[in-house]
Structures are given as C-alpha cells and as structure tokens.
Amino acid sequence: MSLREYSVLLDPRTRFVSFLFCLVLFLVTDFSGGGLWKFAAFFLMLAAVFFLTYERRRGSFRRFVRLSLYLFSLLLFLGLVLLVFSPLSGRARLAGFVDLAAKTILVFAAAYVFIIGHDFGPLIKAFYLWRWPQVIINILTFGYRYFLIFEEELVSLFRARKARRIGRRPFFAELKTTGSLLESFFLRTVDRSEKIYAALISRGYEGRLDFLTDFRLAGRDFVFFVALAVLFLAVRVS
Amino acid sequence: MNGKAIELEHLSYTFPDGTEALRDVSFYVERGEKSVIIGPNGAGKSTLLLHLNGLLRGQGAVRILGQLIDRNNLKKIRAEVGLVFQNPDDQLFLPTPFDDVAYGLFNLSADREEIAGKVRRILGELEVEHLAGKPSVHLSPGEKKRMSLATVLVLEPEILVLDEPSSDLDPGSRRWLVDYLKKRDATMLLATHDLDLAWEIGQKIILMNKGRVVAEGTKSQILGDRALLEQNHLELPLSYMLNKGGRHT
C-alpha cells in the first residue's frame, strides 16, 4: 500500500477527534506579537495533512477559495467590530485582531481539512457509532440531504432563468424576477421534501435511522493522531 | 384469503386545494399478475399509487392481499407493498446507496449480519454492487433508478408498485429494466405513459384519464385500440405496430 492510499483511509472518527484537538489548541494559543510564526507553522502543517488525506484533489483548491470568501467576510466583520467597539488602546486592539484573525483562519482551515473537505456521510456514521442521540443523527442526515436538494433546485432555477435571459434588464425588474424565483424555489423544495418524507415512511420510517458501517479504527489512525498531537503540541509549547 | 393482491373500490381523492385527483376508481389486480396503469399526464396515476401503501387516504376502500388498509395495519401493508417512486432522488436520502438499501431492513428488525447479506445479494442481482459506497448524489439517473429499485426489492415485498419506471432512462438502462421486470415473478402494478413498456410487461392494462378508469382489459384490447388511445392523449405503441406488421415478436 502506498503512502497516499494509506493516508486517505483515515477513520472519520479520527478526523473528527483531530479537528476537536486542533480547535482547542488554536483557541488556547496566543498568535499576537511574536506568535505569528506559530500561525504559519500550524497552517503549513494543516496544508500537509490536507495534501496527505484529501481524497479528491481536483477542484478542491477552487472549492477552498470559494469557501474562503465567507471567511474573509467574517474576518472583515470581526475587524470592524473590534476596531469600533474594543476598549483597548490602538496597538493592543491591533494585536487582538491579529490573534482573532489567526484563530479564525486556522479553525476554518482545520474544519476544511478534517470535515468540510470530505464527504459528510461517513462523519454522520461516526456519530452514529458514538451513539449520539438519534435526534441529532436524524437532523444531520436530513439536513445534509435537504441541503443537497436546495442546492440542486437553486442551480436548476437560476440556470433556467439564465437560459432565457437575453440582454440586460433594469435592476428592479431583475430583483423582482429573483424574488419570484426564490418563491418558486421555496415551493419546489417543500414539494421535494414531502416526496422524500413519503419515500421514508413507505419503507417503515418511525423516527429512527440506522447504518451498517465497516469502520475499523486501525493502527494508522492512532499513528496519525499521535503524530499530529505531538507536532502541534511541540509548536504550541515552543 | 382471495386471489386478489390489490383491490380498489370506489376510491376518490381530492387534494387539499380542491383538485379532484381520483373519482370513483375501482379495479383489482390478481396475485402474480403484472398490471399497468396507463394514461396521460395528470390522469391520477401517481396519486393512485400513493394510496396503495397508505401514504394517501381517500374515500372508498383499498385492500391489499385481502386486508383493508387502516391506521393499525400500515406497517404490515408497507412491508407487503414496495413502492418505487418516479424520481429516484426522492427515494435515496441516506449518504450512500448501501445505507439506503439497508434502511428498510432495519425497520423490519432483522439482525445486522442478515441485513448486510441481503443488501449485498440484491445489489449483486441488480449489478450495482460496485456503486454501493459511492455518494448517491454522484450516481447517473440509470444507476439511481436501479438503486431505488434495490431499496424496495431488498424488503421482498409481495407486491411491487412502480411509478414511471422508465422515465429518464437511456435505451440500455431501459432495456435492462424491462427484461428484469419481465423475468421477476411477483405481483406488479406499474404506472406509466411509456406504452411500449406497458406492451412488453403488462398482462392487464388499466387506462385512466382525469382521475377515472376509462377502460380495462388485456394489452391487445387496450393498447391495440387506436381510437381509445387517441381519445385519451395516447397513441399506439411502436411495439404493437411492429408486432401487428409481423416484424417483431
């Protein structure tokens, strides 16, 4: 087995625990002042993990960039809030923002590397194996399914509009059309959701979802987690 | 118990917005018989199928294997009637097809080893074993159709009900489906406006239009009646015409 094959077969539970570990570690690390090198080190290590464990690399960078737009909006918002409302002096205020921005970027990157960048299904099964409450499993499973439906419906509606749009229309006319599209989107998703629910109960759904999984925590999971913990902790304490 | 697998008596259904979908529908399907409901768009075919495992409850009586559907026997009825929806995306709601196929079995309280065995067997039978772990959203329409069929067949229902089974299928996938349904030995009720499919599979044809049963008979009686079909926005199936011309069996 090559290193690549070995590395992508991580159990989703390992990925989730690794994410939690990173989350806690980033939150307790001070990145202001001389701590910026730690930010760079963590970021590079996450990039290395991403390179080693990501299953579908084609298009992944584009996806990361697209998602990063949300991150930048969040950072902008945080920056504005800090600059306007922080009781600290100018320099301390800037240091606070740098620390917060570094934490936000790293948490986002860790979430992408361990969770968002992978299929969500195995993670739901991991929660199932951990015996999380059934209501959470249901919410996650259906949330995931409905999210994909919303995406499909939205893409098909906007594509239909684009296909029939010739030339530019006045802004308010466009706005009105978009409003009608969103209304139609809502009705279509309700309709689709009802059909999915009908399919569920036609196969005996009574509020419980069960899965068959072949997940096995193997040596590679422990090796991966220990290596990650040691390296990240080393950066944190140095 | 009588020999009727499905029996509808004076079934009527009106949607909450007042649209009358079914009007006094009565017919039956014998055990082991393959029947096909045909009709134009909006004839009430899909609405009718939803009554067969209690998803909709109209006025009139619906009997499955001699039992009148009511609130108390819904679980039993749903185990006996396997309903395959028109859009396979509606049927596949779990992360992978494997999970989806196994899902119904969990509701019948079978043990995990047995469930895994049954799932593998049905996926093998439908030649989609290699797709079991692939996210459902990444399957082609033909693959999704097979998977949605698998989700129902794995439950070994006595009655198989399929809504527009050939829609969205390429010719190869459609041929596979037709051959599979032809060789499968079970009571079957299909709703379609693919009249060639009806010709190939149906032993009994029920023609519906505007929520009513317009005609009922053998495939030659219904699918060979050009005037009747044209009155109901349908046309003679190509298979019938070829067969009549002696060029196709």
Side-chain angles (χ1 to χ4, degrees):
Chain A
M1 186 182 278
S2 71
L3 174 67
R4 170 121 198 94
E5 285 168 324
Y6 180 86
S7 60
V8 297
L9 291 173
L10 284 180
D11 189 288
R13 288 170 289 184
T14 310
R15 285 196 278 113
F16 188 70
V17 171
S18 303
F19 169 69
L20 288 183
F21 173 79
C22 289
L23 181 72
V24 173
L25 196 72
F26 298 154
L27 291 180
V28 298
T29 304
D30 182 15
F31 295 103
S32 59
L36 268 181
W37 73 270
K38 289 184 184 173
F39 167 76
F42 282 141
F43 196 83
L44 285 176
M45 286 196 285
L46 283 175
V49 173
F50 175 73
F51 178 77
L52 282 173
T53 61
Y54 198 68
E55 294 109 297
R56 299 159 299 167
R57 272 197 241 136
R58 182 176 291 185
S60 57
F61 182 71
R62 201 184 314 146
R63 194 172 173 208
F64 181 79
V65 170
R66 211 182 301 149
L67 285 170
S68 300
L69 293 177
Y70 296 103
L71 176 71
F72 288 128
S73 315
L74 179 66
L75 285 177
L76 199 65
F77 173 72
L78 288 176
L80 282 173
V81 169
L82 271 180
L83 290 174
V84 176
F85 296 107
S86 174
L88 301 172
S89 64
R91 204 175 170 77
R93 196 181 283 184
L94 187 66
F97 175 68
V98 168
D99 183 47
L100 194 60
K103 283 181 167 66
T104 310
I105 292 170
L106 286 175
V107 168
F108 172 80
Y112 190 80
V113 168
F114 294 114
I115 295 174
I116 306 169
H118 299 260
D119 281 329
F120 195 56
L123 202 62
I124 295 174
K125 291 182 194 170
F127 298 151
Y128 172 77
L129 284 178
W130 273 326
R131 297 180 193 283
W132 281 30
Q134 187 60 219
V135 65
I136 295 179
I137 303 294
N138 285 7
I139 289 170
L140 289 174
T141 309
F142 296 130
Y144 178 50
R145 186 72 186 103
Y146 288 126
F147 172 76
L148 294 172
I149 289 175
F150 292 158
E151 194 186 18
E152 257 177 52
E153 294 290 343
L154 210 55
V155 166
S156 69
L157 275 171
F158 277 88
R159 195 176 286 153
R161 179 177 77 161
K162 205 173 169 184
R164 281 177 285 152
R165 190 168 57 185
I166 300 160
R168 290 191 73 80
R169 297 181 66 207
F171 174 74
F172 284 105
E174 279 294 322
L175 209 61
K176 199 175 164 191
T177 315
T178 307
S180 310
L181 276 181
L182 291 177
E183 181 192 335
S184 173
F185 163 69
F186 176 73
L187 293 173
R188 279 167 72 162
T189 47
V190 167
D191 184 52
R192 287 287 301 275
S193 307
E194 277 178 355
K195 283 178 181 162
I196 290 179
Y197 184 66
L200 265 164
I201 56 173
S202 76
R203 281 189 281 151
Y205 176 68
E206 286 179 333
R208 190 176 167 79
L209 293 176
D210 286 288
F211 301 97
L212 284 174
T213 60
D214 53 359
F215 297 158
R216 295 276 182 279
L217 281 171
R220 62 174 169 267
D221 293 292
F222 294 104
V223 170
F224 174 83
F225 184 71
V226 169
L228 179 102
V230 167
L231 288 171
F232 276 56
L233 279 173
V235 172
R236 164 77 179 85
V237 297
S238 56
Chain B
M1 193 181 285
N2 61 23
K4 290 172 186 168
I6 301 170
E7 192 178 5
L8 272 64
E9 277 177 16
H10 309 293
L11 181 67
S12 297
Y13 181 77
T14 305
F15 283 112
D17 68 356
T19 310
E20 204 176 18
L22 299 173
R23 277 191 287 171
D24 198 26
V25 172
S26 299
F27 67 83
Y28 63 87
V29 177
E30 296 278 0
R31 278 185 172 210
E33 188 176 54
K34 289 176 178 147
S35 297
V36 182
I37 304 174
I38 59 168
N41 292 331
K45 306 185 294 289
S46 300
T47 308
L48 189 145
L49 297 190
L50 294 177
H51 283 79
L52 301 182
N53 70 2
L55 291 170
L56 289 181
R57 308 283 297 279
Q59 289 172 313
V62 180
R63 287 194 182 80
I64 300 296
L65 300 166
Q67 310 157 86
L68 189 69
I69 297 182
D70 63 39
R71 208 176 284 272
N72 302 319
N73 62 8
L74 276 180
K75 195 172 177 182
K76 188 164 181 275
I77 295 290
R78 284 173 184 160
E80 284 164 348
V81 180
L83 177 57
V84 182
F85 287 72
Q86 177 177 356
N87 184 354
D89 279 326
D90 296 339
Q91 194 118 12
L92 304 171
F93 47 80
L94 291 175
T96 65
F98 191 93
D99 299 323
D100 255 310
V101 178
Y103 166 74
L105 290 171
F106 277 113
N107 297 325
L108 297 177
S109 319
D111 77 80
R112 286 176 173 263
E113 286 299 314
E114 195 186 330
I115 290 173
K118 282 186 175 180
V119 173
R120 275 192 281 273
R121 185 184 58 74
I122 199 72
L123 291 176
E125 194 179 312
L126 298 184
E127 302 159 28
V128 282
E129 222 168 358
H130 60 293
L131 303 170
K134 201 174 168 182
S136 302
V137 286
H138 297 150
L139 302 180
S140 72
E143 291 166 346
K144 282 181 186 172
K145 201 67 145 187
R146 285 192 202 198
M147 283 300 180
S148 62
L149 193 57
T151 62
V152 168
L153 290 179
V154 75
L155 302 172
E156 296 165 7
E158 288 214 30
I159 302 166
L160 190 57
V161 176
L162 300 109
D163 190 4
E164 298 288 359
S166 60
S167 65
D168 290 338
L169 294 184
D170 61 44
S173 305
R174 185 185 172 284
R175 174 49 46 203
W176 177 89
L177 182 77
V178 170
D179 292 342
Y180 183 81
L181 294 178
K182 271 164 84 174
K183 74 176 182 215
R184 191 165 178 94
D185 188 22
T187 308
M188 234 176 255
L189 181 63
L190 281 72
T192 185
H193 44 218
D194 176 350
L195 300 191
D196 288 293
L197 176 80
W199 175 263
E200 288 205 57
I201 293 176
Q203 293 165 328
K204 179 157 99 181
I205 308 292
I206 299 149
L207 172 59
M208 284 185 74
N209 196 1
K210 294 178 184 164
R212 285 177 180 276
V213 173
V214 176
E216 194 182 331
T218 63
K219 61 182 179 183
S220 303
Q221 286 169 339
I222 306 292
L223 297 175
D225 188 335
R226 183 191 290 265
L228 177 69
L229 294 176
E230 285 179 357
Q231 275 165 23
N232 292 283
H233 296 271
L234 300 170
E235 58 184 12
L236 287 175
L238 189 62
S239 316
Y240 172 79
M241 290 193 282
L242 289 173
N243 194 35
K244 207 177 162 194
R247 283 180 283 154
H248 185 66
T249 55

